[in-house]
């Protein structure tokens, strides 16, 4: 009888403890505590996580908080735990331990392709003022050109905390406009100025948008050519969801954007762009890649028309311009070598691209490509990559080496 009593008492105590643990798990979030922060401001993270205050803390909420912080792109490790709040029965304080990525560096970069050589450097801070503000100042130089660029972006936290961005670029360059067979059609020598200011908003965790005004000015050294000035309205809508499995990022995004404006001569010009992108791990070290993009322009001067990078394609000559492009590529990427500081991957893709040629005919190119990429695990940057692509219909190889930083 005594043993039965002891067993019943043990069951009762265990039940009380389990109930208490469950109460802590399901307690209402009353606040947050952070450890491991060096550059990131606690006040910024409190704004990001404000929407979780007053909600029940459970496994689903814990995972949502971790994912919210991971999408900031500032941390290499995140640990989220709940604990009873001092003096508040039923309330939970969420204790978060973080390890920050390196976010400030002076970055050399360069590229080698069929179009020539380019090199430069940029000072990049992806956590300026400790609030995930991004600041960039840099320059590039090539055989016949140089470019100076700068930008500042303050992210939107939610619909009640909008962000903004300002950017500017100045370049002096001699541009060759090539045909698909790489014959030079024209040479343009001049200066180019671009400036934009935009307001950004985050409507939900994964849905965001922006609205900006930009100016593009082309000032030609040849006085027989009229300078071109374009002022345009630039709206963007974007949906993006991403996660990380410890090796690769899993991401899905869809973006619609446009430039709607006019030249100072009164000509109406537009650009419409739709872009879809999927990176999905099949197994932890292998992921599927799919990208599709359409860009269409109306009445845009040749010098301002899109190039192959506009539709994320490598099959076309780098100096080819077109008002209409439709491209897609798909393939696989494998994490071949992994270290504490970096990862080397091998990828293979098949690309297709449909473009309008200068004689108003439509050209369809397709072919395989592949190469290697290096991802730096301690720095919040994409990759350094090298690739070789073969355009089957034109029997041409396109080779490129570049650092994956988008300006």
């Amino acid at each position: 009888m005594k043993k039965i009593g002891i067993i019943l008492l043990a069951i009762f105590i265990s039940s009380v403890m389990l109930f208490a643990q469950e109460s802590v798990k399901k307690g209402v979030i009353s606040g947050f505590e952070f450890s491991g922060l060096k550059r990131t401001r606690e006040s910024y993270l409190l704004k990001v996580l404000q929407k979780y205050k007053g909600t029940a803390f459970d496994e689903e909420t814990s995972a949502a908080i971790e994912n919210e912080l991971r999408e900031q792109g500032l941390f290499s490790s995140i640990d989220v735990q709940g604990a009873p709040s001092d003096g508040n029965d039923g309330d939970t304080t969420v204790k978060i331990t973080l390890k920050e990525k390196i976010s400030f560096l002076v970055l050399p970069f360069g590229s080698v392709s069929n179009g020539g050589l380019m090199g430069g450097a940029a000072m990049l801070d992806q956590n300026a003022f400790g609030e995930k503000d991004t600041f960039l100042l840099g320059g590039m130089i090539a055989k016949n050109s140089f470019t100076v660029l700068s930008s500042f972006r303050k992210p939107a936290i939610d619909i009640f905390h909008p962000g903004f961005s300002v950017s500017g670029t100045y370049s002096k360059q001699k541009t060759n406009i090539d045909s698909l067979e790489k014959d030079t059609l024209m040479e343009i020598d001049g200066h180019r100025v671009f400036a934009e200011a935009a307001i950004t908003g985050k409507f939900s965790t994964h849905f965001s948008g922006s609205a900006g005004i930009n100016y593009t000015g082309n000032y030609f050294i040849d006085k027989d050519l009229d300078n071109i000035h374009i002022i345009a309205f630039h709206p963007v809508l974007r949906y993006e969801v991403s996660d990380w499995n410890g090796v690769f990022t899993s991401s899905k995004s869809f973006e619609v954007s446009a430039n709607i404006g006019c030249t100072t001569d009164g000509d109406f010009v537009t650009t419409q762009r739709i872009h879809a992108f999927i990176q999905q791990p099949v197994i932890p070290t292998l992921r599927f890649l799919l990208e599709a993009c359409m860009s269409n322009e109306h009445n845009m001067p040749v010098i301002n028309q899109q190039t192959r990078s506009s539709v994320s394609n490598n099959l076309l000559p780098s100096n080819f311009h077109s008002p209409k492009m439709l491209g897609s590529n798909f393939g696989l990427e494998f994490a071949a070598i992994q270290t504490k500081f970096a990862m080397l991957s091998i990828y293979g893709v098949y690309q297709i691209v449909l473009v309008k040629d200068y004689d108003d005919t439509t050209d369809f190119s397709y072919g395989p490509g592949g190469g290697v990429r290096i991802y730096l695990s301690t720095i919040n940057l994409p990759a350094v990559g090298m690739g070789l692509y073969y355009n089957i219909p034109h029997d041409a190889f396109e080779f490129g080496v570049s650092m994956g930083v988008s300006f």
Side-chain angles (χ1 to χ4, degrees), residues 128-350:
F129 310 114
E131 295 196 353
K132 204 196 168 187
D133 298 346
T134 301
F135 173 74
L136 172 72
L137 178 63
M140 298 178 288
I141 187 168
K143 182 179 179 181
N144 295 314
S145 68
F146 71 88
T147 301
V148 178
L149 58 156
S150 64
S151 69
F152 179 80
R153 295 172 182 161
K154 187 174 188 63
I157 296 172
D158 53 40
I159 194 169
F160 302 108
H161 299 88
F164 69 90
S165 66
V166 291
S167 60
T169 304
Y170 165 77
S171 61
K172 181 183 183 302
Q173 57 187 356
K174 183 178 289 185
T175 303
N176 294 334
I177 308 296
D178 293 345
S179 69
L180 287 169
E181 303 302 329
K182 300 182 180 178
D183 297 322
T184 300
L185 300 178
M186 64 181 75
E187 295 183 359
I188 301 176
D189 195 1
H191 307 264
R192 177 170 176 160
V193 176
F194 174 82
E196 181 173 81
I199 296 175
T200 61
K202 193 170 183 180
F203 312 125
S204 66
T205 302
H206 306 297
F207 185 49
S208 62
S210 66
I213 299 292
N214 58 55
Y215 164 78
T216 303
N218 292 286
Y219 302 85
F220 302 114
I221 292 176
D222 185 351
K223 299 304 179 183
D224 291 333
L225 298 175
D226 294 331
N227 296 332
I228 301 172
H229 309 273
I230 300 174
I231 298 175
F233 172 60
H234 182 206
V236 179
L237 289 175
R238 180 178 179 84
Y239 176 84
E240 182 176 24
V241 57
S242 64
D243 200 359
W244 186 62
N245 67 0
V247 180
F248 277 128
T249 297
S250 168
S251 62
K252 302 174 184 66
S253 67
F254 182 78
E255 181 179 291
V256 179
S257 63
N259 263 308
I260 306 166
C262 63
T263 69
T264 50
D265 293 331
D267 295 326
F268 177 70
V269 296
T270 63
T271 300
Q272 309 91 41
R273 186 172 182 267
I274 300 174
H275 181 250
F277 184 56
I278 296 174
Q279 294 179 324
Q280 181 62 47
V282 180
I283 59 176
T285 56
L286 180 70
R287 69 176 171 181
F288 172 70
L289 308 174
L290 175 64
E291 189 168 12
C293 188
M294 182 278 290
S295 186
N296 177 66
E297 295 178 343
H298 169 72
N299 216 23
M300 192 69 73
V302 174
I303 189 66
N304 294 115
Q305 288 179 1
Q306 58 223 328
T307 60
R308 68 185 191 185
S309 62
S310 303
V311 289
S312 305
N313 199 274
N314 305 88
L315 295 177
L316 305 175
S318 57
N319 290 327
F320 176 76
H321 292 60
S322 173
K324 297 181 185 296
M325 286 188 170
L326 175 64
S328 178
N329 62 79
F330 53 90
L332 296 170
E333 184 176 11
F334 175 69
I337 301 174
Q338 300 177 65
T339 69
K340 182 179 179 180
F341 302 103
M343 179 187 73
L344 183 144
S345 72
I346 302 171
Y347 70 93
V349 296
Y350 198 88

Side-chain angles (χ1 to χ4, degrees), residues 99-121:
K99 183 178 179 182
E100 294 178 328
K101 294 181 180 181
I102 297 172
S103 58
F104 177 81
L105 69 159
V106 176
L107 179 71
F109 57 86
S111 71
V112 183
S113 69
N114 298 37
L117 304 173
M118 180 274 288

